[in-house]
Amino acid sequence: DADVTQTPRNRITKTGKRIMLECSQTKGHDRMYWYRQDPGLGLRLIYYSFDVKDINKGEISDGYSVSRQAQAKFSLSLESAIPNQTALYFCATSGSGGLETQYFGPGTRLLVL
Amino acid sequence: SQELEQSPQSLIVQEGKNLTINCTSSKTLYGLYWYKQKYGEGLIFLMMLQKGGEEKSHEKITAKLDEKKQQSSLHITASQPSHAGIYLCGALRGGTSYGKLTFGQGTILTVHP
């Protein structure tokens, strides 16, 4: 079984709708991250959490919110989806050391019409 | 301009050829990560470099870090169609950015059989 899972894998929604993307991990990591990927722009950090009580904004947090329900679960919400939030979304996890590797989920492809 | 620039942005090679992808940082590196992504899928960790002059290999892929130039190169020897995908470098910074990765825009590699 995959260590980092994301649901749903694909989602089509309409402008103005609220949607939630979920991430679960079985690696026992404290740190979790949400990124979005757009063509030609690499990955950009939306939010990150270094433990259950710690939530921080990344470089592009506007229009998004997150919830860290447990060590293993980190969800990303789009309160009112807009077309320019159409992207590939990735969740990642890492340990708490200085040079920990981030491990990525398979991604959620989101299309906002 | 981006903090982390990759070159080239895309590369098409014939199977069996060698190739190099570069990743240059405009800020001091604390660690440099290389990932591979198959189109529309998650990121697979390849290797991490920390010290200047460090060189690591994973099968036919070798990465080096030039600390003086703040640059890393990824070299593939005798490329195969299985090497095709998007290669992304990620920089780990110190200070207030500790624990977060900044990614380059990616290099799309196509290998023709």
Side-chain angles (χ1 to χ4, degrees):
Chain A
D1 288 339
D3 295 320
V4 185
T5 57
Q6 292 183 234
T7 56
R9 292 295 313 278
N10 294 280
R11 179 74 184 268
I12 300 173
T13 191
K14 294 182 179 180
T15 297
K17 294 291 186 183
R18 182 182 189 277
I19 68 162
M20 180 183 289
L21 309 183
E22 298 185 339
C23 176
S24 294
Q25 53 111 350
T26 58
K27 297 185 77 68
H29 287 162
D30 284 328
R31 296 180 179 178
M32 298 187 74
Y33 311 80
W34 275 105
Y35 293 90
R36 67 176 277 176
Q37 184 179 35
D38 300 275
L41 293 177
L43 272 74
R44 292 181 291 167
L45 184 63
I46 306 172
Y47 270 95
Y48 62 102
S49 169
F50 279 1
D51 66 43
V52 174
K53 295 182 180 179
D54 175 76
I55 302 286
N56 302 282
K57 292 182 177 181
E59 59 180 299
I60 53 162
S61 58
D62 287 349
Y64 301 95
S65 62
V66 290
S67 173
R68 185 81 185 266
Q69 299 95 327
Q71 186 202 38
K73 295 183 182 297
F74 193 35
S75 59
L76 175 73
S77 293
L78 285 68
E79 298 301 326
S80 179
I82 55 176
N84 77 0
Q85 290 178 313
T86 293
L88 187 54
Y89 289 85
F90 288 106
C91 173
T93 74
S94 75
S96 302
L99 283 165
E100 297 286 338
T101 297
Q102 289 188 21
Y103 295 92
F104 285 78
T108 294
R109 188 171 294 280
L110 176 65
L111 174 60
V112 183
L113 301 174
Chain B
S1 63
Q2 290 203 319
E3 285 185 24
L4 214 54
E5 291 277 351
Q6 286 185 236
S7 63
Q9 291 188 22
S10 63
L11 193 53
I12 301 173
V13 300
Q14 205 66 34
E15 183 176 0
K17 296 294 186 183
N18 302 335
L19 63 103
T20 299
I21 298 169
N22 292 307
C23 175
T24 303
S25 176
S26 60
K27 297 184 178 181
T28 302
L29 291 168
Y30 185 63
L32 192 288
Y33 296 75
W34 283 101
Y35 288 87
K36 178 188 173 186
Q37 181 186 20
K38 295 222 167 185
Y39 180 73
E41 297 182 12
L43 279 68
I44 305 298
F45 170 70
L46 293 176
M47 56 196 89
M48 187 272 285
L49 305 164
Q50 183 194 2
K51 300 173 186 174
E54 188 173 18
E55 180 175 321
K56 287 187 178 178
S57 293
H58 172 74
E59 297 176 346
K60 292 187 177 180
I61 302 174
T62 301
K64 300 179 184 179
L65 180 62
D66 185 329
E67 200 170 31
K68 196 172 180 182
K69 292 182 181 178
Q70 294 293 292
Q71 183 180 73
S72 178
S73 59
L74 185 88
H75 184 77
I76 298 178
T77 304
S79 59
Q80 301 168 356
S82 61
H83 287 126
I86 302 172
Y87 289 82
L88 294 120
C89 61
L92 189 67
R93 313 287 187 195
T96 56
S97 297
Y98 181 72
K100 297 183 286 183
L101 283 181
T102 301
F103 283 89
Q105 76 274 38
T107 295
I108 302 171
L109 173 63
T110 304
V111 181
H112 286 310

